[in-house]
Amino acid sequence: MDSQSNENIFNTGKEALILHRQAIKLMGDPHLRLQDKFAGRAGNYAEALPLLEMAVSLDPQNHVFRIDLSDALRALGKDDAALYHLKKCLALKPGLETARLGVINLLCKKKDYEEAFTLADNGAKLHPRSSPMWLALGHCCLQTKRYDSAVS
């Protein structure tokens, strides 16, 4: 690869990072988003969305950008698009608990409990100390009537 190609890759990554940072400022602190949403202080997801979409298009392999994009999409009620990006994120980082739980949550919301069960079952094996993963697995066991799995 020549130096011009390396410079273009660097500039694209830098531009994506700048867009991502601008979007995060609009959305608010990721650790407070859920609390803010319930308190009626949700960030400006509508303004953040195009910035996150551009960041993902510039750096489609960046799982952090995709997770934040899925957060914005879910906040705006675009669950199918959020699920798409979370599944892409999970393909990039199969062991990423946040993405797996997001996919499970959205699949359960769509009442696709079979696929959610498979992801939760594998997730519980990958993350045996994760209470949220075990809770998701238990929920899927009950929804799919796998009662023996729910108590074992």
Side-chain angles (χ1 to χ4, degrees):
M1 206 183 292
D2 63 7
S3 64
Q4 182 66 29
S5 297
N6 285 338
E7 188 175 323
N8 288 342
I9 291 169
F10 174 76
N11 288 337
T12 300
K14 187 176 175 183
E15 185 179 345
L17 189 58
I18 290 168
L19 290 167
H20 181 253
R21 285 184 182 155
Q22 290 172 342
I24 294 305
K25 285 180 186 174
L26 290 168
M27 290 169 47
D29 183 339
H31 301 291
L32 300 176
R33 286 183 199 155
L34 190 58
Q35 294 169 1
D36 286 346
K37 194 172 180 181
F38 288 124
R41 299 185 307 259
N44 191 340
Y45 294 100
E47 279 188 45
L49 184 61
L51 298 172
L52 290 166
E53 289 173 332
M54 288 184 347
V56 167
S57 71
L58 289 169
D59 189 358
Q61 302 301 313
N62 190 313
H63 68 280
V64 174
F65 294 176
R66 285 195 184 272
I67 286 179
D68 289 333
L69 175 57
S70 73
D71 282 350
L73 289 164
R74 282 196 288 185
L76 295 169
K78 299 178 179 188
D79 290 347
D80 288 337
L83 181 59
Y84 169 82
H85 286 286
L86 283 172
K87 283 184 173 183
K88 285 283 195 181
C89 185
L90 202 52
L92 292 169
K93 298 272 186 181
L96 192 60
E97 182 181 10
T98 307
R100 185 173 297 271
L101 286 168
V103 171
I104 293 166
N105 181 7
L106 287 171
L107 288 171
C108 286
K109 191 173 179 182
K110 293 174 69 158
K111 299 191 184 325
D112 187 350
Y113 298 114
E114 289 297 327
E115 186 178 352
F117 171 80
T118 301
L119 283 169
D121 190 41
N122 291 334
K125 292 171 186 159
L126 284 170
H127 306 283
R129 294 178 173 246
S130 170
S131 298
M133 193 64 70
W134 284 102
L135 182 63
L137 178 58
H139 176 73
C140 292
C141 286
L142 293 174
Q143 293 299 327
T144 57
K145 297 182 177 20
R146 289 181 170 98
Y147 303 119
D148 291 341
S149 297
V151 293
S152 61

